Amino acid sequence: MEVKASGTFDYKTIQAFMRLCFFGSRWKTGPKKKLIIYSIIYAVLALAITAEIVLLEFSPGLMVLLLIIVFLLLWMYFMYFAYPKIHYHALGKMKNITNNYVFTDDTIHLTAASEGYFEETTIRYSYIVKVIETPNYLYIFQTKTQAHIIEKSTITNGTIQDIRPKLSAAVNRKYIFYYDT
């Protein structure tokens, strides 16, 4: 059976991928939840240090610590909100490219096409290093940082349950589920 799917490198897709890459870890909560949790932790730390500086006495060490916490908080918001937009605009010709995938028993056939660009390739399941599945996307990693992005809503001639066993057999324990992205 040949299961077909596709993925388009539009802004929404790149945004979801970049947020998952930056906020992803073995702790299987989604990027939005991590942003909220880290924001609360950093804000509480910043308020506690500010209160200690104001109420007790000024300390250069505490001031440096406060500046580091503020920097980390700003960096985290930059990576969540601005970096996906920067990365999307840096795609150049690859912007809005549509990748069509055909999953067979032992390979994935990929056709990529956009204005001025065309590519056709075959990927063996043994070349896949990691798979991350979210409610909307399936990320198939060929390297630690390069992934094919499949929109789960575009799967035809089958379901995700038809694809999942082939992929999970290829990557063993590196099939990761994120349910709350």
Side-chain angles (χ1 to χ4, degrees):
M1 173 191 280
E2 292 185 344
V3 179
K4 296 180 180 182
S6 66
T8 303
F9 282 6
D10 58 1
Y11 176 68
K12 184 179 118 190
T13 303
I14 296 301
Q15 181 184 48
F17 179 65
M18 297 310 298
R19 287 178 178 175
L20 184 73
C21 287
F22 184 71
F23 289 93
S25 71
R26 293 178 194 261
W27 185 33
K28 295 179 178 67
T29 60
K32 193 181 296 181
K33 191 181 238 181
K34 282 185 186 174
L35 179 71
I36 292 168
I37 291 169
Y38 288 145
S39 294
I40 291 169
I41 291 169
Y42 288 149
V44 168
L45 284 172
L47 287 174
I49 292 170
T50 304
E52 191 168 327
I53 289 172
V54 170
L55 297 176
L56 299 177
E57 67 178 64
F58 178 79
S59 167
L62 286 177
M63 190 58 128
V64 169
L65 187 59
L66 180 63
L67 290 174
I68 290 171
I69 289 172
V70 169
F71 173 77
L72 289 174
L73 190 61
L74 292 174
W75 178 253
M76 185 175 59
Y77 277 94
F78 171 79
M79 293 302 287
Y80 192 84
F81 292 108
Y83 188 66
K85 190 172 285 193
I86 292 168
H87 190 75
Y88 174 71
H89 290 296
L91 286 174
K93 287 183 182 179
M94 301 295 281
K95 260 196 262 186
N96 298 316
I97 193 169
T98 299
N99 294 328
N100 295 306
Y101 301 90
V102 178
F103 293 86
T104 63
D105 290 332
D106 56 346
T107 61
I108 303 170
H109 185 72
L110 165 67
T111 306
S114 73
E115 188 177 316
Y117 182 81
F118 181 80
E119 181 184 356
E120 219 173 354
T121 189
T122 301
I123 305 164
R124 294 186 183 275
Y125 289 113
S126 60
Y127 294 163
I128 299 170
V129 297
K130 177 172 65 172
V131 176
I132 297 177
E133 184 178 336
T134 68
N136 299 319
Y137 298 100
L138 187 65
Y139 301 98
I140 301 173
F141 287 81
Q142 280 189 278
T143 67
K144 289 183 178 183
T145 57
Q146 178 191 9
H148 294 280
I149 305 170
I150 297 168
E151 296 172 49
K152 289 168 64 174
S153 62
T154 64
I155 296 174
T156 58
N157 295 349
T159 64
I160 188 67
Q161 285 79 13
D162 298 326
I163 300 170
R164 196 178 289 138
K166 297 171 188 175
L167 295 172
S168 62
V171 295
N172 297 323
R173 295 179 183 220
K174 292 193 178 185
Y175 196 107
I176 303 167
F177 293 95
Y178 284 96
Y179 290 109
D180 59 346
T181 58

